[in-house]
Amino acid sequence: MSTSTTVSPIDEVKTTPWAGGRAPFSVEYGKMMMWFFLLSDAFTFSSLLIAYGALRFSSNVWPAPDLVFQSVPGMYENGAPLVFVGIMTFILIVSSVTMVLAVEAGHRNSRKEAAGWMVATIIFGLMFLGCQALEWSHLHHDGFWWGSTPKDLQEYFHGATSRTYAQQFANLFFTITGFHGFHVFSGVVINFIILINVLKGTYEKRGSYLMVEKVGLYWHFVDLVWVFVFTFFYLV
């Protein structure tokens, strides 16, 4: 005895060539788009850092990082190489940890904890931006800026002086660190907006804190980029 299988209209639509079939990745659409955005942004940062690396390693005369970045604004004018930028880096790393904790709290649908860790992330982000503003102000006072270099370059170089290379260093430094700082500022603003929604209980009502996770991806990307910026400008 033959039996016939009844196909529901919904199942029939799913099997049509235009239905899209089964999703290749078990990833929510918005999260996938965030990954695409971060990938494109990574290309932008990569091109800027490659340009800096090409200029840096094509010259045997370049500002010495331990001489340029040896001040702690408001405390030491010199004699503390890379201490201040080390503090900046530590602040950003800690902010990444608090962001992880915010995402983890969201997975547990703990609104109070998620909000608390997001507030901490925002505070650390603002601290980093404040430190960067102090660093820029100090370098500008020393003569480093877009289109200008210190009158006496000898103390900043290992070897012979070169105003051309100092100018290239200054232009790329302020462009790349400024671009990264803009990303940190954008991350702080986005975190603040998401924080408001967390406090309002928006994601608790939805039953998902996926938006917090998406913002976390962006924030971790910004932190990761800083590792490369730190390495290229401050260590090499």
Side-chain angles (χ1 to χ4, degrees), residues 109-111 197-198 200-209:
N109 289 321
S110 177
R111 179 172 61 174
N197 287 333
V198 170
K200 289 170 61 178
T202 301
Y203 307 124
E204 193 172 26
K205 293 174 183 176
R206 292 180 185 176
S208 172
Y209 280 75

Side-chain angles (χ1 to χ4, degrees), residues 79-146:
L82 305 179
V83 171
F84 190 64
V85 70
I87 295 172
M88 292 172 60
T89 303
F90 177 76
I91 290 172
L92 210 56
I93 290 174
V94 173
S95 76
S96 192
V97 174
T98 57
M99 191 72 243
V100 168
L101 294 172
V103 173
E104 189 274 333
H107 287 162
R108 292 187 284 106
N109 289 321
S110 177
R111 179 172 61 174
K112 185 176 180 180
E113 286 187 46
W117 290 120
M118 290 193 72
V119 168
T121 303
I122 291 171
I123 291 173
F124 284 123
L126 291 173
M127 288 174 63
F128 177 86
L129 291 173
C131 289
Q132 189 171 59
L134 286 174
E135 181 186 48
W136 277 29
S137 176
H138 182 82
L139 290 173
H140 181 260
H141 177 74
D142 283 353
F144 280 106
W145 198 244
W146 281 290

Side-chain angles (χ1 to χ4, degrees), residues 2 38 66 69 71 89 93 111 135-136 145 165-166 194 220 234:
S2 63
L38 296 180
D66 57 337
F69 307 106
S71 66
T89 303
I93 290 174
R111 179 172 61 174
E135 181 186 48
W136 277 29
W145 198 244
Y165 287 118
I194 301 302
H220 296 320
Y234 299 95

